[in-house]
Amino acid sequence: MLSEPRSGRLAAWGNALLAGLASPDDTVHAIVGDDAVHRLEGLPGESAPVGLTLALGRLRTLGVTGLRVALPAPGHPLGLSGPPEFNARALDAEEAVICYGAAFGLVPEVYEAGPDGDVHVEVVWHCLPVREAPPADVPSLSEAERELAEALREATDVLSRLDVAGSGPVAEAAIDAYRARAERGREVLAPGYPPRAVRVLELAQRVGLLVSLATENGHGGAVSASEMAARGAALRPVERTARRALVAAYNSVVEERERGVG
């Protein structure tokens, strides 16, 4: 969860484009990021994959007025609404984008090519039918913000009690990379998102950073199997809360539109 999910970039900047707050060129540049290219396959009326500019324009003509994010995990279909075939594809990818206004969903498939040190990434988004129903387990922004504050306290307490090192070269490099990314640009979402969504996203990323450091940065002081099991059990609900908050932040403009806000 240290890096921004591709579904988040597509939804956030796609929403900005659909609202007339971002140009097509800026939108595509932001969505592609460090990847080489993104294409969309399975779009109605197209027999081959098409570029993002054409794809987003075509989705608009098909009735799409907004984009939501899903970040499912085993046992937790966060943001999904079915059918089972789409949910399975999204769960395998661990992310998806759900269209609002038309019953389509987009699931990324990532291809890497090239030698070490010069790998380029291509992404194909598969357009599939979805069920028009409320997304699963997505909190409101206010709920997510309250839950995150508690999750941050819990994560800090767990790491302290289990003596998980917050120092050392691996942890320091991760923290430095997170800070550098934050400083490169404060617009962590896209034009049109409310300030609260930005706060929630940044806090969710911070909580996700702590969880990642705890699970990826060695054993710290928790050397026994029982201590490792205790750490995992304690951090799973924290990670779940952070994912729910990420989805709430990315989906906030669509949720506000549904409630008639703004």
Side-chain angles (χ1 to χ4, degrees):
M1 199 180 295
L2 290 179
S3 60
E4 188 176 24
R6 290 182 173 90
S7 56
R9 295 203 305 266
L10 176 57
W13 284 90
N15 283 329
L17 176 68
L18 291 169
L21 299 174
S23 70
D25 287 346
D26 288 345
T27 297
V28 171
H29 178 74
I31 293 171
V32 172
D34 294 330
D35 298 333
V37 66
H38 284 218
R39 297 185 180 90
L40 198 149
E41 182 179 72
L43 194 63
E46 297 291 341
S47 59
V50 300
L52 282 180
T53 301
L54 175 59
L56 290 168
R58 182 63 56 82
L59 287 172
R60 187 204 297 268
T61 64
L62 290 169
V64 174
T65 58
L67 301 171
R68 288 186 170 112
V69 169
L71 296 177
H76 188 207
L78 175 62
L80 298 177
S81 58
E85 296 80 7
F86 179 81
N87 286 6
R89 292 283 294 267
L91 180 59
D92 186 57
E94 298 183 341
E95 60 178 319
V97 171
I98 313 298
C99 297
Y100 177 70
F104 301 113
L106 314 175
V107 179
E109 187 170 3
V110 179
Y111 301 90
E112 295 184 351
D116 290 344
D118 189 28
V119 175
H120 71 273
V121 176
E122 297 186 4
V123 179
V124 175
W125 293 87
H126 297 276
C127 183
L128 303 163
V130 297
R131 181 180 299 146
E132 293 186 285
D137 198 36
V138 179
S140 68
L141 271 179
S142 58
E143 291 170 336
E145 196 166 31
R146 289 195 301 272
E147 292 172 0
L148 275 173
E150 179 61 28
L152 185 58
R153 289 192 293 270
E154 290 178 4
T156 303
D157 179 62
V158 167
L159 302 190
S160 176
R161 284 190 291 106
L162 297 178
D163 192 23
V164 176
S167 58
V170 175
E172 290 298 328
I175 292 170
D176 287 345
Y178 174 80
R179 288 172 177 163
R181 178 183 176 277
E183 290 303 320
R184 281 200 297 270
R186 300 310 300 165
E187 193 170 58
V188 295
L189 277 168
Y193 276 84
R196 188 175 217 172
V198 176
R199 292 199 309 272
V200 167
L201 183 67
E202 289 178 327
L203 184 55
Q205 289 171 336
R206 192 185 316 162
V207 172
L209 174 66
L210 289 175
V211 172
S212 296
L213 292 178
T215 55
E216 297 172 8
N217 189 35
H219 298 313
V223 294
S224 72
S226 62
E227 286 173 326
M228 288 300 295
R231 181 198 299 183
L235 289 177
R236 272 193 294 274
V238 176
E239 186 275 338
R240 183 185 181 108
T241 296
R243 277 191 300 109
R244 292 179 76 237
L246 284 177
V247 172
Y250 286 122
N251 295 3
S252 58
V253 293
V254 176
E255 304 305 332
E256 287 188 350
R257 190 177 307 150
E258 277 195 313
R259 296 195 307 269
V261 178

